[in-house]
Amino acid sequence: MSGHETVLAGLAAELDWIRDTYVDLHRHPELSLEEHRTSKLVEEKLGTFGYAVTRVGGTGVVGVLENGDGPAVLARADMDALPVKESTGLPYSSEVDGVMHACGHDVHVAALLGAAKLMADGRGAWSGTYIALFQPAEEVGAGSKAMLDDGLMTRVPRPDVAFAQHVMPIPAGTVATTAGPVLSAGDSLKITIHGKGAHGSMPHMSVDPVVLAASIVLRLQTVVSRETKPGNFAVVTVGAINAGATSNIIPDRATLLLNIRTYDTQVRANVLAAIERIVKGECVTAGSPREPEFEYYDQFPLTSNDAAVTEKVTAAFTSRFGADAVLHASPQTASEDFSRIPDAFDVPYTFWLLGGVDPETYRAAVERGTVAQDIPANHSPLFAPVIDPTLGLGVQAHVTAALSYLSEDASG
């Protein structure tokens, strides 16, 4: 029996508590940096499994299982929920008003706990170090940084490779992998532009920031359409404009909130530079009395999978689950902060997608051509991954990826 088969042989006996843990987490979601109950649950489970457990970054938790010579593998799950009111109607719906696990992080935690238990029970079949990392505050892009700022790199063994997975609206029973960019870099930007206030009946006495904001919004549309090479991906969205409070007062300032997504670091740099250049130029043209102000926040790094690691893990998934269950992942325009951790350690990583939609429901939507309309996506109040086979496959995916590096039958 191979190392994979030996370790995963115990999965069926563990599924009940893994399911119960998922349901408990779904009922008790916690917002970013407030994952206190979740962290305590994770600490207690890992301690029971025999891991050396450390709190890092406030509510972050890391469990380390050293098991002889060999490489070190880091597997990460995020823990935070969203300020979304649940509308799924599930019998285990959120009991916290206005807060919901609408992005599947409860799936991630339960699956990694299950994998951690199987890795501990199956120590005879592998050698090396398994690091189970439970990260807070992914939704606001702050959790991985908080853990690194709190000394993560000196408090756990240096991994040789890192893994993460994310449940997505693709068929349950499948995983999806890709080399290179899989999630976009994301930047939120607050721009404050300054004008000169005046009475609404005396516009000639003003420098109107509302008109200035309107010209900036229009001009920003050229960043993608005229300054980004066709075929290169970029999104520039103006999500909010705020200026003034009454109809007869021209305000003295306006704020714009932007969101930028890119798959390439140079494209990102070019887009951000173009935005700042355009805003400054429009302010000069309008006679703005002060320089505009730029405040970047909720920044997410690019998630770009290492080709060799992805090839190795994809081969292991294909061997374990069959070729039909391993899909090719198209790059997603969503963003994540996982990659800050392997990037800080300067180690390769791969991040794969985990199916969470009932396969028949998904197939029917594909046949109707209504996937976008009928399949709730992440962050929807209707987002509800099916428990089976999602959780079981999530556990197997983590174990399979880890053992492709740690087990005696690991190749390459």
Side-chain angles (χ1 to χ4, degrees), residues 49-366:
F49 302 160
Y51 284 71
V53 183
T54 306
R55 276 285 184 114
V56 186
T59 47
V61 181
V62 185
V64 176
L65 187 66
E66 295 183 332
N67 187 38
D69 295 333
V73 167
L74 184 149
R76 174 271 208 173
D78 39 9
M79 302 188 293
D80 51 330
L82 285 159
V84 172
K85 184 174 179 62
E86 184 162 1
S87 301
T88 63
L90 291 168
Y92 50 88
S93 289
S94 170
E95 296 177 3
V96 182
D97 187 42
V99 181
M100 175 194 174
H101 267 298
C103 202
H105 296 185
D106 43 359
V107 171
H108 305 166
V109 172
L112 184 53
L113 284 173
K117 176 64 159 59
L118 293 180
M119 293 296 289
D121 290 348
R123 276 174 280 197
W126 60 274
S127 180
T129 299
Y130 190 64
I131 305 165
L133 185 149
F134 295 81
Q135 181 208 303
E138 180 278 327
E139 294 293 356
V140 296
S144 59
K145 185 176 185 300
M147 297 186 80
L148 290 166
D149 289 347
D150 196 29
L152 175 68
M153 295 178 67
T154 62
R155 299 172 67 181
V156 301
R158 182 182 184 275
D160 293 285
V161 67
F163 303 127
Q165 65 181 355
H166 205 299
V167 65
M168 295 291 281
I170 59 176
T174 66
V175 291
T177 66
T178 190
V182 63
L183 297 174
S184 69
D187 296 273
S188 290
L189 172 59
K190 177 182 178 181
I191 302 173
T192 302
I193 54 175
H194 299 278
K196 180 182 177 184
H199 195 287
S201 66
M202 305 175 193
H204 61 291
M205 302 293 290
S206 75
V207 175
D208 192 336
V210 177
V211 175
L212 174 55
S215 68
I216 288 171
V217 171
L218 291 176
R219 182 68 178 176
L220 287 177
Q221 306 312 304
T222 66
V223 174
V224 174
S225 67
R226 290 297 178 269
E227 297 199 36
T228 303
K229 181 180 177 181
N232 286 347
F233 168 81
V235 172
V236 177
T237 297
V238 181
I241 304 175
N242 297 288
T246 63
S247 64
N248 65 342
I249 299 175
I250 295 173
D252 66 354
R253 70 186 60 199
T255 59
L256 299 87
L257 301 181
L258 278 64
N259 190 255
I260 301 100
R261 307 281 171 150
T262 52
Y263 288 145
D264 181 272
T265 55
Q266 188 58 55
V267 171
R268 174 181 178 270
N270 293 344
V271 167
L272 297 182
I275 290 170
E276 293 200 15
R277 187 194 74 242
I278 287 170
V279 172
K280 290 176 181 177
E282 292 292 334
C283 287
V284 170
T285 300
S288 179
R290 289 175 54 187
E291 286 278 316
E293 297 157 13
F294 301 92
E295 178 187 343
Y296 291 89
Y297 64 100
D298 287 358
Q299 292 184 284
F300 295 84
L302 177 67
T303 306
S304 185
N305 288 335
D306 179 83
V309 173
T310 303
E311 181 180 9
K312 187 180 185 73
V313 169
T314 301
F317 286 167
T318 302
S319 176
R320 176 69 191 176
F321 307 134
D324 290 345
V326 182
L327 311 178
H328 174 74
S330 299
Q332 305 291 305
T333 55
S335 301
E336 253 269 11
D337 69 341
F338 155 70
S339 64
R340 281 201 186 102
I341 292 172
D343 284 349
F345 282 106
D346 192 25
V347 300
Y349 63 86
T350 196
F351 180 106
W352 63 86
L353 311 182
L354 175 69
V357 181
D358 175 76
E360 286 304 308
T361 300
Y362 193 89
R363 180 192 57 77
V366 169

Side-chain angles (χ1 to χ4, degrees), residues 363-375:
R363 180 192 57 77
V366 169
E367 291 179 354
R368 293 191 301 268
T370 58
V371 171
Q373 294 78 24
D374 295 347
I375 305 298

